[in-house]
Amino acid sequence: MENQIRQLREEFHMTQVRLSIELGVSQETVSAYENQRHYPSFLQLQKMSSIFHASIDYIMGLSEVRSPAPLRETGGLSALVDLGRQLTPRQLELALAYMRGMLDDSAS
């Protein structure tokens, strides 16, 4: 069974260059992943799972089930982490301060 990286990347309207930036690898590495000349590390698979909202098994072509139920149940936390990754260090600091304030308010 072939891996799903190219199909997912195209479904998300991403170029190899864009995915390479997201993963912190070269475009050539993404091409090698898609053509099964090299396999992504577990860290890269975790990143792709988050980007594509798909299980690692699905990405690697080991399962036809794209996103098992347990992964969907953590969607709120996953979405929060995904958004946090897009923030600048200062924005992240402010967001964390806001969340800590929310926790302090709920403890009162």
Side-chain angles (χ1 to χ4, degrees), residues 39-56:
Y39 293 96
S41 68
F42 185 69
L43 177 62
Q44 299 307 326
L45 288 169
Q46 285 179 311
K47 288 179 182 180
M48 282 188 262
S49 179
S50 178
I51 291 166
F52 298 132
H53 310 287
S55 71
I56 291 172

Side-chain angles (χ1 to χ4, degrees), residues 1 4 54-66 68:
M1 188 181 280
Q4 302 294 323
S55 71
I56 291 172
D57 284 349
Y58 181 82
I59 292 168
M60 293 307 298
L62 302 173
S63 172
E64 293 181 18
V65 178
R66 184 168 180 159

Side-chain angles (χ1 to χ4, degrees), residues 79-99:
L80 187 60
V81 170
D82 289 342
L83 288 172
R85 288 186 178 132
Q86 298 175 39
L87 299 175
T88 66
R90 178 67 179 142
Q91 290 170 324
L92 183 57
E93 183 181 316
L94 291 170
L96 289 171
Y98 178 76
M99 287 188 282

Side-chain angles (χ1 to χ4, degrees), residues 6-18:
R6 176 179 288 120
Q7 179 261 324
L8 287 165
R9 178 180 58 75
E10 290 174 351
E11 181 181 317
F12 278 74
H13 306 287
M14 294 180 85
T15 63
Q16 285 184 345
V17 171
R18 178 63 192 175

